[in-house]
Structure formats: structure tokens, C-alpha cells
Amino acid sequence: MKDKVATLEQAVALVSDGDVVALQNMATQAAPMALVRELIRQRKRGIGLVVLVGGMAVDWLATAGVIDRLIGAAVTMEQFGLCQQYRRAVEGGRVRVEELSESLLNARLGAGARNLPFLPTRGALGTDLIALNPDNLQLIEDPFGGDTVLACRALVPDVALVHAHRADRYGNVQYEPTAIWPDIAIMPKAAKRVLVTVEEIVDTDVLRRNPDRTILPGFTVDAVVEVPYGAHPTSFFPNYGYDAVFHRRWTEVARDDARAKDFIDRYVLAPINQQEYLHAAGGAAALQRIADWEEGA
Amino acid sequence: MKDKVATLEQAVALVSDGDVVALQNMATQAAPMALVRELIRQRKRGIGLVVLVGGMAVDWLATAGVIDRLIGAAVTMEQFGLCQQYRRAVEGGRVRVEELSESLLNARLGAGARNLPFLPTRGALGTDLIALNPDNLQLIEDPFGGDTVLACRALVPDVALVHAHRADRYGNVQYEPTAIWPDIAIMPKAAKRVLVTVEEIVDTDVLRRNPDRTILPGFTVDAVVEVPYGAHPTSFFPNYGYDAVFHRRWTEVARDDARAKDFIDRYVLAPINQQEYLHAAGGAAALQRIADWEEGA
Amino acid sequence: MSDDWRSSPPAMDYSVDELMVTVLADQFHDGDQACNGMASFIPVAAFMLARATHAPELVWLASSVGLEPRPKRIPASTLEAPLWRDSVMYLEQYSDFWTYVLNGRWIGKFCVGAAQLDQYGNANNSVIGTDYHAPKVRLPGTAGLADLCSIGKQLYYWNPNHSPRSLVARVDFISGAGYLDGGDARERLGLGGGPQIVVSNLAVMDFHPDSKRMRLKSVHPGHTVEEVQAATGFELLLSEDGAPETQVPTQAQVRLIRDVIDPDGMRKRDLRRR
Amino acid sequence: MSDDWRSSPPAMDYSVDELMVTVLADQFHDGDQACNGMASFIPVAAFMLARATHAPELVWLASSVGLEPRPKRIPASTLEAPLWRDSVMYLEQYSDFWTYVLNGRWIGKFCVGAAQLDQYGNANNSVIGTDYHAPKVRLPGTAGLADLCSIGKQLYYWNPNHSPRSLVARVDFISGAGYLDGGDARERLGLGGGPQIVVSNLAVMDFHPDSKRMRLKSVHPGHTVEEVQAATGFELLLSEDGAPETQVPTQAQVRLIRDVIDPDGMRKRDLRRR
């Protein structure tokens, strides 16, 4: 099998301006933040972001002017509130939203993954989402005489970004038993290219001990980068929890464009690698905080 | 949660004559044979059987006159050859076949599982399968102007039969890391009722140790029966391999209707419980044979 | 757990979050399968309370991932691993959760919040303002709400900030279908289920069986019908029996909520946030 | 493993199963992703041989379940756990395997057998006879063949029993679409990929690039064009260079097959079965 090991720089160089980029994550969980920071460092522009539920990553990408459209079901940092930078970008017309419910996004990505022109759902009937999006959502008749359903057009992202627990150098990617979000089950299958960060690159023999935990075969992956704590400040169970202190640090500045930009300068642009980023984010004290998630509330 | 523990008799009493019954298995693997034998013992009639790839179970059900139609992609005992009793029943017009490719059956069951009228596929275009089955397969246009696809009508079996590694008394069902056949991922979700045999009924706390291995939540399951070696003579990894001796014993008689019926009398009708069945099938020697699968060829 | 909740006298010192928890808890029964979403401390407390008292066989699917979990107490997020501690099953989202949800036979009850809710129970979590692409406020988005509302689920709205801004005559954007224009509009579209009740910090509302307009079901102690009406952006129907006082939590319920289920008071975050 | 296969001289004592294995092995290259099905000892031996010699980076998906397995040797079933020993991944069938297969970008090469194959590469594993519902012979069924044939895969047929009954002018039932009526019939239906070669116990065939009719590519040593034609139920085209002799296995290849890959001779079962 082909060696897929890359640096963050090499991996993100596979993203072109204007690409549709799918981000695997939930509100405060499992976001491939090291790849997101590298998108900002490489000053990508005109990116269309696909998220099921996006959090701080969306805010940062909006602040840095990387994205100009979003295809997704929700953007929120859950208990830390709305993503204020994203919100301002949408309200100011700088980011255009194609809003889809979860089953609609699943159907669009599912069709993309299976090379089908569309998949039907029953979700969202009666909502205003349908009229908003005739290019991708059409009511169709059941050829067998049953109910009308909503056809959701295939979505094939140019790139999917994923953070996972471990991989071998050939891009076989493993996930520990934990919440498996829909994005991870279909985004990488639908996308043309897949970039993966992992907590650890291991020998293939380590994967062979638990073949049921392998979620992506190497042939679907274009680059794999070892980035310990690559999901910080989002959680990555069972390895670490979300960093509440860091989330609050962001929410304190995110309503102010200048302070938000300073934050990006300090935490994204200044640190030249993951180690420096973690140091800026609080170093050993931060890692201790997120290690203790199991006992914390 | 509700207690779902039942005897084989009670479980199979939930099957009515004429039902469409989905059988989770592969050619020589993981068939819920104890439930199949009980279908024969209870002299069910007019059953429509759904299999992705069926093996000896289909042969037995054909011999005993339980089934009169089959919806599936293949029937074979792999290296042990064709299912001769099934073959004769079809050639004689006693069993009618609705043949579907794997992706077509997956689409029909997938639509049933998600309460959609149909799901599209690109499989089987150009084959004679489509013209044979206008009630369930229709070519439709893509509303977004793409390629024609094949709409596969939802299939909702009345009952699904599954063998699994363990369950608690509430019907939460677990599967060990091994081959996960499509049937197990969708048949029980599509069917109206689900009957499960397991190697072992365990305390719920045992399931909590590996929540990622639970494949069916209790609320989807109607009856759970503890039947050690419930898949014999098919394999059930990692617990045991297929019983090659027993398979050959069947293939030796299966071309002869009278001898096939005698075989059913001896191995299905005469043994009053699983223990007697296993004794008839070879007892400790048989269990030793199938325990050694890992070293055997 | 405790069984004295049946005979326990009314609590004297309950707070409104605890009242909302007990009102919601009453909606969930043995055999129901219920699921909470993000930032849903009050619904999670309600599920846990129901299971600890009248509905031990209420099946709880924590944040669409963890089946029958045993969290130590309500943690600081209702969508993170501490909530689904000790689960019997982790549901994979695409193949498991959404299949069971779409199927229709399972997981029938959802507690949802919405930034705007209108007189026909339509919900908006998408945008405030009339121009979708240049909104006054960009809200989080519909997430799974548009699906749950259209596929026959029973929806229990909770609203910790009853005001003319959150309860409006007509939502700016339908991101979750309620009874649409009322009457049989929902039925005509072939949609089953729908909004059942709305539990706010002032009152409990339901929907008139024919017109599907929102009506006052009970008013929380210390508030009046007039006050509730003034805090609502449309005219609330009154039910025939007027508007009785909402039943208050019992002492046993309050003890369970405070001492066992949510000792860290996470449920109060739902009130503060809006 | 061994690297002397490149310079190894032709084997003198190979058997036809070994010849079929080496011919098939030549079709698989570094970077290909190939998958075997049921009762496929010869294809499995071919994949294992290719990986041990010229194509170490051929990705092998064993019986649609086990990625990159390391079986000790070919076991008695090509669709059971001993074959996918030490796999890097177990592919879940519905969500993983069929998604990757349908996608089109991955798992592009399949070895398949069929009871009947016709002059345009259409395959039949369903029924012998003209009345589908009262067939002369009920065959196993299409399984995944109908899918693989229609979704752009490259198909490598192997036929251990070259005869007018297995190679027919027109299949009784198309359970796998080849080139249909020939010419651009397949293309007009929008189907990519298609049958590449047919490896039998007598010869190797491919398909004319324009007419899509089956043509003789090479004849196995010890057999003649006339013999092959007589064993075929339709007229085989001849390629311009006549019909050269099929390249025989090298001594190193035969050693690998016999001593390492398949010491139990499972590959010979494919010949006996039909």
C-alpha cells in the first residue's frame, strides 16, 4: 500500500481555493482543528464548508475569511453559545448558507458516497428549507404509487477533513469505541480527497488487533498526519474532553472583530507547530484540564 | 425495559402462515438454524423467505414445505455446492423466486428500514432482473437532470430471524467483532418483528462494557432465546466454524426427496431441544470439530 | 431509587426550572423512547426524573448516541461523553440513529427548544428577519428539527424565556413544521405527530384539537393569565376549564432533582442562556 | 517473499489450475483494489501470487470483508473467517463495502465465475432454460454480479470447464450485463467498465474493441485453436496475431503456489466442482 504520511502543510496544500471542504465534527467535539488552523495559515479563500453541526472551527474560518458559504444543519458551540463570528459573517452577507436538516445533508452526502444522483427522504416536508433550495431539493412522486418524497441531490465535497485516534502510514484509519457522528460514516466516502489527522501513527500490526475499529481503508485516504491533541479545544473521547477554559476565552472575544482577529493571530498564525499551539493554549495545565473529563461535570 | 426472554416455541409462535420472513445469514455462516428448525417443527406454511445469500436453511425449509417464495440474491452452500432441495422446489414450481442483486435487495430493505417508499440504485441496469419485477423495480429519471436510476420499492418483512453472540433479557443484542453481513445491518431494522437467538443471555452490565458492539437496541427486538450453538451447522465466528461433516451429510441425501425428508425427521423433528439436536448432529465430537476452525484449513 | 414521590407533599421552595422539569417529566411514560439534543439540561433532568419515579421503563437515548446511560449526574454538556457513561449501546448516527428515527416505529418523543415558536407550533431556529440571506440574526440552524417535525414525532417544546419575541404570531422561517397554517394543514401534507405541549417559565400550553392554535393549559403559581398573555406575541386560546394552576413539584421530586440528578444545577443554565 | 520469480525459467510440470492462477495474477497490478467472492480458490491464489511477486501493493479485499488479510494458506472456504485472518479492517457490508463498491472510484476489479457466459460477455448465474419461473436448472442466483457488471467494474471471468454449455451464443438470462448485444450497446446504457478477459482451462479470451465479440487471445499449451473452437458454443474471433500459446507459469510461481499459497491444493476444487 502507498505511504500517505504527510505534514500539515503538505496535506492542506491538497485543498484549492474555492473547494467544497467537509469538516467532520460536532458542536464541541472531534473537530480536525489542526487542519482548520492550517487552512487559515495557508490563507485559503472561497471555501464552501460542509458541516453537520459546526462549532469553533466555523467561527475561526469565518474570522479569517477562508469560507464564503456553508452547507450544513447547524453551527453552534452548544453550552458556549452561538458562533458569533460566523453569525456576523452571515448577517453581513460574507457567508451564504445552504441550510439542510440532518437527514437532508445525510441524503446528499449519502448519494455522493454511492455515486447516485440523489437519495430521497421524508425529512423537512412543510418547512421553508425546500423552497430555498430548488437546485438541490425536489419533491418527487413514488413510482410505486406511495407518498411524495424529497429528492436530495448528491453532494460530493472536494475534500473531507477528519481527526481520528490512530492510523498506519498507509492511511488505514481507526476510531476508538465512542460516539460515531454521521459525518465520519459518510463525509470521507463522499469526498474526492480525504485528509486525516490522528493522535498517533502506529504500525499496521496494531490495527490488525482490532480490525472492527478501522473506519477508513487506506485506499480512500490521501494524507495522514500525526497531530497529538489535534482536536483541541474540542473533545476527542476517550482521549480527552473539550477545553472549556479555551472555549470561554474565545467566546469573550468573538463578538469583537478586532479582538477575534488578535486571537487568531495569537493562537493560529503565531504558533509554528502543534507543540507551540498547545503551549499558547495553556500547555501542561490545559492538557491536565482536558484529561480529567471523566470526573468533571 | 421490557423482558423479552422467550422459548423457541414462544418466539416462533410470533410467525404466522403466509408471513414474509427475513433470514440473517450467509452461504455457510451465522444462520439462525434453531429458529429455522422451529419453523419446520411448527409446520409453518406459505412463508416468503428473504435472504441475501441463503444456504442449508433454505434447503431445509424447501424440503419441509414451509416456503413458497424466495426474495433474495443467491442460494448456495458455497464449497458444498447448490442447495438441491431448493433447486428442485423452484424447478418444480413449488417455490417462486423474486431474484434481486445484492444492491437491489439492500435498497429494498433500506427503504423499508427508513420508511421510504423506495431507494434508488445503479445496480442491475442492463440485466433481465428488471423486466422480471415491474412491481418492485422501476427506472426513474433524476429530477436534477442526471442519469436514470433504478427505484427499488420498500420491502418490510413481517419477521426477521437473527442469531447473535449475546443479549440481555431486554433484547439488547451484541455481536462480536467479525464479518458483519448486510442482513444484520438492515433486515432487523426493516422487519416488523425481530426474533433473536443468542449464544448466551448475559446481565446488562456485560453489554455496558462494550457498548460499541451492541447492534440492536432492545426496543427493536420482540423475543430473545438463549440457544448455544444456535447457528450450527453454519459457522459463527469467533465462537465456532461451520460443520463440514454435517454439511456433507446433508449434500449426500439432498438430491433424493425421500432421504432428505428422513434427514429432516431425524435432525429437525425428532430432537425435542437444542441439546438433543446437537447430540444427533454428533455431540462432543462435532463441537470439537467446529471449535478447531482456526487451525483447520 | 426513591418511591416516596407518589405520596410526597407539594414542595414549598421549588424553582421554576424544577417546575419545568416536573411538568416535562409527566409527559414520558413506561415504554416511550425519548431522546434529548444539545444544550438540553431541563429535558435531560425530566427524563432522569421520570425514570427515577413513575416511568422506570422509559427508554432514554442520550443525545442520540448513548442508550440507557448511567451518568453520575447531569454534566456540563448534554452532548458529550460524560452524559452517555455506561451506555448499553452507542448508536452509530447515520446507520443506526437516523434509521430508527426515520422508521417511525421507534424513538417517538423529542424535547426541543426553538428561538421562535408560533401560534400553530411552527418552530424557527434558522434566522430572525425576512431576508434569509441577510438576516437580522443568524440562529444556529435547524439541525435535526426539520426532520423530527416532519416524520411523525411527538414534540415537547420547552421555552425558558416566555416573551413576545420567542412566542410569535408567525415564525420568520419554518425550520420545523408544526401545524403550519392550522386546521388540517399538517394532515393534508401527510405528516403525523406534531407539537404536543409548550412548557415555558410562565405557563404550559397545548394546541386546540381542531384549529391547532396554541392554548393555555395551566399557569405557573405566582403568574396570571393576563401576564402570560402579555408575554405572548399572539392571542392564546383559553381552554374550557379556564387556566388552572400548574401542578407544582412534590418535595420528593425536588429532592431527587437537587440531590441526585442535577446537584451541580446545570438545569439553571437553560434559563440563563436566553 | 521470493524475488526470483522474475528470472525463473518456465515450469515443466505445472497443472492447468496453476496456469489459470498465473494468467489471472498478471491482470492485477500495484494500486489496484481487487475483491474475491464465494468459491473462488483460483482468484484468491491469483491475488496472493500477484502480491507475493509483481504487485506487492495490490490491495486485496478478501471476500468483501477482510482488508489486507494474512491467511496462513488458502482455507477450505473463500468466504469464511480463516481467509480474513489478521485483517487490517473488517468492512461492514451495507455501509462500507457496498458504498465503496458503488462509489466507482474504489475496488475496481473483480474475478467472477458464471454458469453461462455468452459471446458478448453477458453472464448467467440465475436459470438454465427459457421459462424463468419453471427453469430446467435453478442456479444460485446473481448475488452481487448484477451490481458489479453494471457499475463500471472491470470483470475477470474464470471458467474451469470450457464447454459449449458454459460458453454459449446467448445466455438464457442476463444476470450480469456484459456488452449486451455488442458494439456500443453497453456504452449507450451508460455503463462503464465491463468484462476484460475470460480465463478457461483451455484458453484465454478477450473482447474485440469495436464489436465486443469474444475473441481468442491465447491457447494453453497442449491445446489447439480447433479444440477450443469446438468446445465453444459460438464462433470465437481470432486476433490478428493468430492465437499464440498462453505463457506458462515460471518455476518460482509454481513453487509459491504449491508450497506457500495453497499447499492444500484448494484451487483444484474449482476444477472438480463443475
Side-chain angles (χ1 to χ4, degrees):
Chain A
M1 288 190 278
K2 255 165 89 175
D3 196 308
K4 306 288 176 65
V5 174
T7 62
L8 283 171
E9 291 77 3
Q10 291 166 335
V12 171
L14 298 174
V15 180
S16 303
D17 285 353
D19 272 358
V20 173
V21 175
L23 198 69
Q24 182 252 328
N25 71 157
M26 274 295 289
T28 55
Q29 289 165 326
M33 294 301 286
L35 289 166
V36 167
R37 289 196 305 276
E38 187 63 25
L39 284 172
I40 296 171
R41 294 175 64 86
Q42 293 192 16
R43 302 188 185 282
K44 301 293 182 193
R45 289 293 176 271
I47 298 298
L49 195 69
V50 182
V51 287
L52 190 92
V53 178
M56 194 187 293
V58 185
D59 241 7
W60 285 9
L61 291 167
T63 305
V66 173
I67 57 173
D68 64 9
R69 59 205 190 279
L70 182 130
I71 303 172
V75 176
T76 166
M77 289 183 293
E78 225 224 316
Q79 74 270 33
F80 303 106
L82 291 178
C83 288
Q84 296 294 345
Q85 283 285 304
Y86 160 76
R87 180 188 152 184
R88 293 165 82 98
V90 176
E91 291 164 10
R94 297 189 303 281
V95 168
R96 191 181 167 89
V97 180
E98 181 197 331
E99 187 171 339
L100 298 168
S101 70
E102 296 187 24
S103 90
L104 269 50
L105 181 60
N106 286 348
R108 292 202 61 196
L109 288 168
R114 289 176 184 80
N115 194 24
L116 295 167
F118 70 90
L119 280 174
T121 90
R122 288 183 191 275
L125 297 178
T127 69
D128 288 338
L129 294 168
I130 299 174
L132 208 61
N133 198 354
D135 289 352
N136 299 307
L137 304 175
Q138 285 288 331
L139 293 167
I140 59 170
E141 297 306 311
D142 171 23
F144 306 104
D147 298 339
T148 297
V149 286
L150 186 64
C152 305
R153 187 181 199 168
L155 173 60
V156 178
D158 296 293
V159 186
L161 309 182
V162 171
H163 186 65
H165 293 87
R166 69 182 70 84
D168 66 8
R169 43 193 316 115
Y170 310 110
N172 296 294
V173 176
Q174 235 175 35
Y175 221 69
E176 283 294 281
T178 181
I180 305 287
W181 302 111
D183 349 29
I184 214 165
I186 46 173
M187 270 183 184
K189 291 170 180 156
K192 289 180 202 160
R193 291 185 293 285
V194 179
L195 315 182
V196 182
T197 52
V198 291
E199 293 292 318
E200 196 185 7
I201 291 181
V202 298
D203 192 89
T204 305
D205 281 349
V206 175
L207 306 187
R208 292 184 196 273
R209 283 179 215 146
N210 297 105
D212 57 309
R213 294 189 187 164
T214 305
I215 54 157
L216 292 174
F219 57 77
T220 66
V221 171
D222 296 89
V224 58
V225 191
E226 184 177 89
V227 187
Y229 296 99
H232 179 276
T234 63
S235 62
F236 201 62
F237 302 105
N239 297 42
Y240 45 91
Y242 57 90
D243 188 339
V245 171
F246 193 92
H247 269 85
R248 282 192 211 103
R249 211 179 285 167
W250 171 249
T251 57
E252 275 164 26
V253 303
R255 284 175 189 270
D256 181 310
D257 288 351
R259 291 180 69 198
K261 277 197 203 313
D262 286 348
F263 189 101
I264 298 291
D265 284 345
R266 178 172 170 192
Y267 291 103
V268 178
L269 298 175
I272 57 163
N273 57 31
Q274 178 74 357
Q275 211 180 343
E276 287 205 5
Y277 163 77
L278 291 174
H279 182 73
L287 301 187
Q288 191 54 48
R289 276 197 303 267
I290 61 178
D292 285 346
W293 65 270
E294 221 170 344
E295 288 312 304
Chain B
M1 288 190 279
K2 257 166 88 175
D3 195 308
K4 307 287 176 63
V5 174
T7 62
L8 283 171
E9 291 76 2
Q10 291 166 334
V12 171
L14 298 174
V15 180
S16 302
D17 284 355
D19 272 357
V20 173
V21 175
L23 199 69
Q24 182 252 325
N25 71 156
M26 274 295 290
T28 55
Q29 290 165 323
M33 295 301 287
L35 289 166
V36 166
R37 290 196 304 278
E38 187 62 26
L39 283 172
I40 296 170
R41 294 174 64 86
Q42 292 193 17
R43 300 187 188 283
K44 302 292 180 194
R45 288 294 177 268
I47 298 296
L49 196 69
V50 182
V51 288
L52 190 92
V53 179
M56 194 188 291
V58 184
D59 239 8
W60 283 10
L61 291 167
T63 305
V66 173
I67 57 174
D68 65 9
R69 59 205 189 281
L70 182 130
I71 303 172
V75 176
T76 166
M77 289 184 292
E78 225 224 314
Q79 73 270 34
F80 303 105
L82 292 178
C83 287
Q84 297 294 345
Q85 282 286 304
Y86 159 77
R87 179 188 153 183
R88 294 164 81 97
V90 176
E91 291 163 10
R94 297 190 303 283
V95 169
R96 189 180 169 88
V97 180
E98 180 196 332
E99 186 170 341
L100 298 168
S101 70
E102 296 189 25
S103 90
L104 270 49
L105 182 59
N106 286 347
R108 291 202 62 196
L109 289 169
R114 289 176 185 80
N115 193 24
L116 294 167
F118 70 90
L119 278 175
T121 90
R122 287 182 191 276
L125 297 177
T127 69
D128 288 337
L129 294 168
I130 299 175
L132 208 61
N133 198 354
D135 289 351
N136 299 307
L137 304 175
Q138 285 289 331
L139 293 167
I140 59 170
E141 296 306 311
D142 171 23
F144 306 104
D147 297 340
T148 298
V149 287
L150 186 64
C152 304
R153 188 182 199 164
L155 173 61
V156 177
D158 296 294
V159 186
L161 309 182
V162 171
H163 186 66
H165 294 87
R166 69 181 71 84
D168 67 9
R169 40 192 319 115
Y170 311 110
N172 296 295
V173 176
Q174 238 176 33
Y175 220 69
E176 283 292 281
T178 181
I180 305 288
W181 302 111
D183 350 27
I184 213 164
I186 45 173
M187 270 184 184
K189 291 170 180 156
K192 290 180 203 160
R193 289 185 293 286
V194 178
L195 315 182
V196 182
T197 52
V198 291
E199 292 292 320
E200 195 185 8
I201 291 181
V202 298
D203 192 88
T204 305
D205 282 348
V206 174
L207 306 187
R208 292 184 197 272
R209 282 180 216 145
N210 297 105
D212 58 308
R213 294 189 188 165
T214 305
I215 53 156
L216 292 174
F219 57 78
T220 65
V221 171
D222 296 88
V224 57
V225 191
E226 185 177 88
V227 187
Y229 296 99
H232 179 277
T234 63
S235 62
F236 200 62
F237 302 105
N239 296 41
Y240 44 91
Y242 58 88
D243 188 339
V245 172
F246 193 91
H247 270 85
R248 281 191 212 103
R249 210 178 286 166
W250 170 249
T251 57
E252 274 163 26
V253 303
R255 283 173 189 271
D256 181 309
D257 289 350
R259 291 180 69 199
K261 278 197 203 314
D262 286 348
F263 189 101
I264 297 292
D265 285 345
R266 177 171 169 195
Y267 291 104
V268 178
L269 298 174
I272 57 161
N273 57 31
Q274 178 73 358
Q275 212 179 343
E276 286 206 6
Y277 164 77
L278 291 174
H279 182 73
L287 301 187
Q288 190 55 46
R289 272 197 307 265
I290 62 177
D292 286 346
W293 65 269
E294 223 171 344
E295 289 313 305
Chain C
M1 233 175 256
S2 166
D3 204 27
D4 66 350
W5 63 274
R6 286 178 196 280
S7 51
S8 176
M12 307 303 283
D13 68 338
Y14 68 88
S15 56
V16 64
D17 47 282
E18 288 152 356
L19 177 65
M20 291 177 70
V21 168
T22 55
V23 170
L24 270 178
D26 280 349
Q27 304 296 315
F28 301 96
H29 313 295
D30 277 345
D32 285 347
Q33 297 130 23
C35 181
N36 67 278
M38 283 188 282
S40 299
F41 300 102
I42 285 175
V44 165
F47 296 155
M48 290 175 76
L49 179 66
R51 285 160 57 90
T53 56
H54 64 278
E57 295 188 4
L58 164 65
V59 175
W60 173 32
L61 184 57
S63 44
S64 77
V65 171
L67 181 68
E68 300 284 357
R70 296 189 296 209
K72 293 186 172 175
R73 55 190 182 278
I74 299 184
S77 162
T78 63
L79 198 77
E80 292 267 358
L83 189 71
W84 54 77
R85 169 190 283 269
D86 264 357
S87 289
V88 172
M89 176 177 185
Y90 290 152
L91 278 81
E92 196 273 319
Q93 294 296 291
Y94 184 69
S95 301
D96 288 330
F97 176 72
W98 277 106
T99 301
Y100 292 126
V101 167
L102 291 171
N103 183 289
R105 286 179 294 158
W106 302 302
I107 318 179
K109 295 190 169 188
F110 285 81
C111 288
V112 289
Q116 283 186 336
L117 200 63
D118 73 18
Q119 59 185 326
Y120 294 115
N122 301 301
N124 177 15
N125 262 344
S126 298
V127 290
I128 304 291
T130 48
D131 182 351
Y132 180 88
H133 288 297
K136 262 199 287 194
V137 183
R138 176 64 232 187
L139 298 166
T142 186
L145 184 63
D147 302 309
L148 304 175
C149 286
S150 298
I151 52 176
K153 303 304 174 187
Q154 297 195 312
L155 301 166
Y156 301 83
Y157 285 103
W158 91 102
N159 176 347
N161 186 14
H162 194 135
S163 81
R165 289 174 59 193
S166 63
L167 288 159
V168 299
R170 176 77 189 176
V171 288
D172 290 351
F173 186 89
I174 300 183
S175 39
Y179 294 106
L180 301 169
D181 300 318
D184 63 353
R186 183 180 172 87
E187 225 178 309
R188 270 185 286 122
L189 215 63
L191 310 182
Q196 304 298 305
I197 61 166
V198 183
V199 183
S200 81
N201 55 323
L202 301 182
V204 180
M205 281 76 68
D206 66 0
F207 297 87
H208 187 279
D210 299 324
S211 72
K212 306 296 185 190
R213 274 181 57 193
M214 201 185 289
R215 68 180 178 187
L216 200 54
K217 193 160 177 271
S218 68
V219 175
H220 298 348
H223 300 286
T224 64
V225 172
E226 293 68 33
E227 190 187 345
V228 173
Q229 182 61 72
T232 306
F234 53 88
E235 195 195 333
L236 282 167
L237 296 181
L238 293 179
S239 48
E240 285 159 27
D241 48 353
E245 210 168 64
T246 308
Q247 197 181 321
V248 303
T250 65
Q251 293 180 14
Q253 285 178 313
V254 168
R255 271 201 310 275
L256 276 170
I257 296 170
R258 290 184 192 172
D259 299 346
V260 179
I261 294 170
D262 186 25
D264 298 320
M266 293 296 171
R267 65 196 178 278
K268 296 186 187 296
R269 292 189 173 190
D270 280 341
L271 279 79
R272 280 202 302 269
R273 206 175 46 242
R274 293 168 199 242
Chain D
M1 232 174 259
S2 168
D3 203 29
D4 67 350
W5 63 274
R6 286 179 195 278
S7 52
S8 178
M12 306 304 284
D13 68 337
Y14 68 88
S15 56
V16 65
D17 47 282
E18 289 152 356
L19 178 65
M20 291 178 70
V21 168
T22 56
V23 170
L24 269 178
D26 280 347
Q27 304 296 316
F28 300 97
H29 313 295
D30 277 344
D32 285 347
Q33 297 129 25
C35 181
N36 68 278
M38 284 188 283
S40 298
F41 300 103
I42 285 176
V44 164
F47 297 155
M48 291 174 76
L49 179 65
R51 285 160 57 89
T53 57
H54 64 279
E57 295 189 3
L58 163 66
V59 176
W60 174 33
L61 183 58
S63 46
S64 78
V65 171
L67 180 68
E68 300 285 357
R70 296 188 296 208
K72 292 185 173 175
R73 53 189 184 279
I74 299 184
S77 162
T78 63
L79 198 77
E80 291 266 359
L83 189 71
W84 54 75
R85 169 191 283 270
D86 264 357
S87 289
V88 173
M89 176 176 185
Y90 290 153
L91 278 81
E92 194 275 319
Q93 294 297 291
Y94 183 69
S95 301
D96 287 330
F97 176 72
W98 277 106
T99 300
Y100 292 125
V101 168
L102 292 171
N103 183 288
R105 286 178 294 158
W106 302 302
I107 319 177
K109 296 189 168 188
F110 285 80
C111 288
V112 290
Q116 282 186 336
L117 199 64
D118 73 19
Q119 59 185 327
Y120 294 116
N122 301 301
N124 176 15
N125 262 343
S126 298
V127 291
I128 304 290
T130 49
D131 183 351
Y132 180 87
H133 289 295
K136 262 198 289 194
V137 183
R138 174 66 231 187
L139 298 165
T142 185
L145 184 64
D147 303 309
L148 303 175
C149 286
S150 297
I151 53 175
K153 304 302 175 189
Q154 298 195 312
L155 302 166
Y156 301 84
Y157 285 103
W158 92 102
N159 176 345
N161 186 14
H162 195 136
S163 82
R165 289 174 58 194
S166 62
L167 288 158
V168 298
R170 176 79 189 175
V171 288
D172 290 351
F173 186 89
I174 300 184
S175 39
Y179 294 106
L180 303 168
D181 300 319
D184 62 353
R186 182 179 172 87
E187 225 177 309
R188 270 186 284 121
L189 215 63
L191 310 181
Q196 303 298 304
I197 61 167
V198 182
V199 182
S200 81
N201 55 325
L202 301 182
V204 180
M205 281 75 70
D206 65 1
F207 296 88
H208 187 279
D210 299 324
S211 73
K212 306 296 183 189
R213 274 181 57 194
M214 201 184 290
R215 69 181 177 186
L216 200 53
K217 193 160 177 273
S218 68
V219 176
H220 299 346
H223 300 285
T224 64
V225 172
E226 294 67 33
E227 190 187 346
V228 173
Q229 181 60 72
T232 305
F234 52 89
E235 195 196 334
L236 282 167
L237 295 181
L238 293 179
S239 47
E240 284 159 27
D241 48 352
E245 210 168 65
T246 307
Q247 198 181 318
V248 303
T250 66
Q251 293 181 13
Q253 285 178 314
V254 168
R255 270 201 310 275
L256 276 170
I257 296 170
R258 291 185 192 172
D259 299 346
V260 179
I261 293 170
D262 186 24
D264 298 319
M266 293 297 171
R267 65 196 178 279
K268 297 185 186 298
R269 293 191 172 188
D270 279 341
L271 279 78
R272 281 202 302 269
R273 207 176 47 243
R274 294 168 198 242

